[in-house]
Amino acid sequence: MDGIHPPGRTARGLAWATALYLVLPILIVLPVALTDQRFLSLPQDGISFRHFATVLTSPEWLGSIWQSFVIAVFATVLSVVAGTLCAIGCWRISRRATELVRVLMLLPLIIPSIVYAIGLYRYFGPLGLLDRFAGVVIAHGVTGIPYVVITVSTALAAFDPRLEQAARGMGASLAQTLRWVILPRIAPGIFSGAIFAFIHSWDELVMVLFIASRDVFTLPRRIWDGINENLDPAMAAVAVLLVLFTTLLLMLDLALRRRRDS
Amino acid sequence: MTAAGRPALGWWLLILPALLLLLVFYVAPILQVLAISVTEPEPGLGNYERIFTSESVQRVILTTLRICLITTVLALLLGYAIAHAITLASPRARGWWIMAVLVPLWISVLVRAFAWVTLLRRQGLVNNTLMNAGVITEPLPLVWNEFGIIVGMVHYMVPFAVLPMLASMREIDPRLLAAARGLGASRAQVFRSVFLPLSMPGVIAAAVLVFIFSLGFYITPAILGGGKTLMVAEWISLQILDLIRWGLGTMMATMLIIAILVTLAVFSRIVDLRRIFGSGA
């Protein structure tokens, strides 16, 4: 289609304006983080890395980054194991009942996290999971399942079911079929799902606001407090680090997809 | 049938962990929310009566609906422009366009809200630039009001609008556009009578997605609204964390779920819901 019907000038202008509206505000945090001033501003007399230094030497920020990371790793494992097995089961059985299961798995994407967060607040209390590591891991892990189910189901759609039948026909057990035939084939899809489940947990704030308070204090929670209390360039430095980290993860996903497609 | 029945059981066992996790740690807490809304402070529909009697409840609902509708329309317009550009772009340019959509999609919602505060507040970059240039003498109220909320929400929602529209535009045969041009249609005519109608399923899917996401949106409105313009999600958290009115908070949460499910049910007749959520990741 290339060159046959290129967009007109108005269409192109509007698209460019929208792209700038999407990207520029995010890029603005970089010069602000490099300011030599003590308040949120653009650099005046030169650039300075001291706001990055403030963040990277602060035990509070580092502690929260570490907590968020560990929680995201555990939550990702939970989402990936449960989500992958579920997607495979639904794909293989493929009946009305499994369609229902799939819809159920999408619920966390559909129902706003505020509703789930207030529900968990009451639900976790008697279980002793409030302000506990395990509680946050469970909440993030369960709500990360949809991302894995979607990416793994997409990968399975391109997988020839006869391969699985052949393996079974030659006497492979279910575990062997999974281990040697199905999982290697859909590995890129599982990795994609893992990346999205990780970003989901790493960024999640609303549930943490309700089910964690002192002992569990994740990075988004600290940023939230920062935005509401002291707006300073250190916040911009954190934002830059987050943007870099997320972009890196997305590039990784892109590279994996490219390898799978070629 | 045991030969066929036994393997099936094995496959069902694969589904079990996710199913149990979801039922015990997702569905049960949500059902509890529904239950609290009709049992606290006393059993009955007293909390729901407030929808008809309480002016503050009605105001929050109307504010939310107004902001969500404006957000949906703007996100659709801007998203359509980008999706259209991606569809007609050369393969090399297409990669860049898609990055411009996907990177913001996955950047932390907190980072984005923070960036908008930096830009829009009284001493923010926008106001300072305009004042230094002599365009204005007083800082404009760009944030901590409805305007700020909408700017931030549209920014968040545009990528979600792009994905379903893009999926639907990619199914349009480009030869149709070329043929229409060849038959003497102007660029605007090709767009109006060929491209636009064929892309409508994607537009509707995008509208549903953006609207239901906007309804329960918490973080961006809370930061950019400054506590003065309350949307449903922030109102719920206020009722529960600050005022300890569980009945009212869970009533509104239930209304939110109902509103979302009704929207989905209505539109599932015209649009394939799988298209909405299948392209989300």
Side-chain angles (χ1 to χ4, degrees):
Chain A
M1 78 173 71
D2 313 301
I4 297 176
H5 182 79
R9 204 172 299 160
T10 331
R12 199 186 294 246
L14 197 54
W16 266 101
T18 309
L20 293 179
Y21 165 69
L22 286 184
V23 175
L24 282 187
I26 298 171
L27 294 182
I28 200 69
V29 294
L30 181 61
V32 172
L34 291 172
T35 185
D36 50 349
Q37 309 291 308
R38 285 172 51 201
F39 49 90
L40 276 186
S41 61
L42 292 175
Q44 311 270 309
D45 307 313
I47 62 166
S48 151
F49 285 92
R50 63 179 171 143
H51 303 295
F52 284 96
T54 311
V55 172
L56 294 174
T57 54
S58 140
E60 284 90 17
W61 281 110
L62 289 178
S64 286
I65 290 174
W66 176 244
Q67 272 199 349
S68 275
F69 181 77
V70 175
I71 289 173
V73 168
F74 280 102
T76 303
V77 171
L78 189 68
S79 315
V80 166
V81 172
T84 303
L85 295 180
C86 177
I88 295 174
C90 288
W91 165 77
R92 182 57 181 73
I93 299 170
S94 192
R95 292 212 194 105
R96 255 189 100 79
T98 57
E99 279 303 301
L100 217 71
V101 171
R102 261 192 245 216
V103 172
L104 194 71
M105 293 296 149
L106 289 184
L107 276 185
L109 291 184
I110 300 170
I111 294 180
S113 41
I114 182 78
V115 177
Y116 180 52
I118 62 173
L120 268 192
Y121 185 31
R122 278 289 272 267
Y123 193 75
F124 271 3
L127 297 176
L129 284 170
L130 280 182
D131 205 18
R132 288 282 175 282
F133 224 70
V136 179
V137 167
I138 291 173
H140 286 183
V142 169
T143 48
I145 292 177
Y147 299 98
V148 181
V149 170
I150 289 175
T151 52
V152 174
S153 298
T154 311
L156 282 166
F159 176 76
D160 189 345
R162 280 172 303 181
L163 279 175
E164 179 263 324
Q165 283 154 10
R168 301 283 287 191
M170 292 197 277
S173 71
L174 182 85
Q176 284 169 324
T177 314
L178 272 181
R179 173 76 186 79
W180 300 111
V181 181
I182 300 179
L183 288 180
R185 283 285 171 142
I186 58 167
I190 299 176
F191 277 121
S192 274
I195 288 173
F196 292 130
F198 185 92
I199 298 181
H200 160 73
S201 165
W202 172 259
D203 260 354
E204 202 286 324
L205 170 65
V206 181
M207 298 167 215
V208 164
L209 281 179
F210 281 80
I211 62 169
S213 53
R214 206 173 304 121
D215 288 342
V216 184
F217 211 88
T218 61
L219 181 62
R221 180 69 195 267
R222 204 168 286 285
I223 299 175
W224 168 262
D225 281 10
I227 294 178
N228 287 316
E229 281 150 29
N230 48 332
L231 272 173
D232 63 50
M235 292 291 310
V238 174
V240 169
L241 295 174
L242 267 177
V243 170
L244 287 178
F245 183 57
T246 312
T247 314
L248 222 65
L249 282 177
L250 285 174
M251 305 276 256
L252 181 69
D253 179 56
L254 213 67
L256 285 170
R257 272 166 205 254
R258 210 162 275 162
R259 239 178 63 187
R260 178 182 56 198
D261 293 341
S262 64
Chain B
M1 278 312 280
T2 34
R6 207 176 295 142
L9 182 71
W11 297 108
W12 273 108
L13 283 177
L14 296 184
I15 298 179
L16 202 61
L19 192 59
L20 281 180
L21 273 174
L22 220 72
L23 289 177
V24 174
F25 287 112
Y26 194 87
V27 175
I30 300 264
L31 289 179
Q32 198 177 9
V33 168
L34 311 189
I36 295 170
S37 76
V38 287
T39 53
E40 290 182 22
E42 63 223 19
L45 292 173
N47 291 318
Y48 291 86
E49 214 182 291
R50 296 290 193 95
I51 299 172
F52 306 101
T53 58
S54 159
E55 220 175 285
S56 71
V57 170
Q58 290 169 350
R59 191 170 51 235
V60 169
I61 294 177
L62 285 178
T63 307
T64 306
L65 286 178
R66 184 176 62 241
I67 294 178
C68 289
L69 285 173
I70 297 174
T71 301
T72 306
V73 170
L74 291 177
L76 284 182
L77 277 176
L78 299 182
Y80 197 95
I82 288 229
H84 178 259
I86 295 177
T87 313
L88 300 185
S90 69
R92 232 167 59 95
R94 190 175 298 153
W96 286 104
W97 281 111
I98 290 180
M99 286 293 276
V101 174
L102 283 189
V103 172
L105 174 67
W106 287 100
I107 295 287
S108 165
V109 56
L110 281 162
V111 169
R112 293 198 252 170
F114 170 76
W116 282 114
V117 170
T118 311
L119 283 168
L120 300 180
R121 70 203 178 99
R122 270 183 79 83
Q123 282 90 35
L125 298 179
V126 172
N127 269 324
N128 271 349
T129 311
L130 290 178
M131 299 237 298
N132 288 339
V135 182
I136 51 171
T137 47
E138 279 287 294
L140 300 171
L142 300 174
V143 74
W144 297 310
N145 53 27
E146 211 166 301
F147 177 82
I149 294 184
I150 290 173
V151 169
M153 278 182 63
V154 172
H155 185 251
Y156 187 85
M157 294 298 169
V158 165
F160 288 106
V162 170
L163 293 176
M165 292 200 277
L166 188 58
S168 135
M169 288 179 193
R170 278 197 169 153
E171 288 165 18
I172 299 176
D173 189 337
R175 284 171 300 182
L176 284 176
L177 309 178
R181 284 291 269 172
L183 291 171
S186 73
R187 208 183 280 286
Q189 281 172 322
V190 174
F191 178 75
R192 235 190 357 254
S193 20
V194 183
F195 195 87
L196 186 64
L198 287 173
S199 64
M200 273 327 268
V203 174
I204 296 169
V208 175
L209 187 69
V210 171
F211 185 72
I212 64 174
F213 276 10
S214 306
L215 277 181
F217 207 29
Y218 178 70
I219 299 166
T220 302
I223 292 175
L224 298 177
K228 273 172 277 171
T229 308
L230 283 189
M231 286 179 63
V232 161
E234 195 180 359
W235 189 88
I236 293 173
S237 108
L238 197 72
Q239 297 304 315
I240 285 175
L241 290 181
D242 297 337
L243 305 171
I244 331 282
R245 289 193 197 137
W246 275 88
L248 274 188
T250 50
M251 176 277 283
M252 198 65 106
T254 310
M255 293 305 296
L256 194 51
I257 297 182
I258 293 174
I260 288 170
L261 293 183
V262 166
T263 309
L264 281 175
V266 167
F267 284 94
S268 67
R269 291 169 177 276
I270 357 184
V271 66
D272 184 9
L273 292 183
R274 208 175 290 208
R275 159 168 280 154
I276 302 184
F277 293 103
S279 59

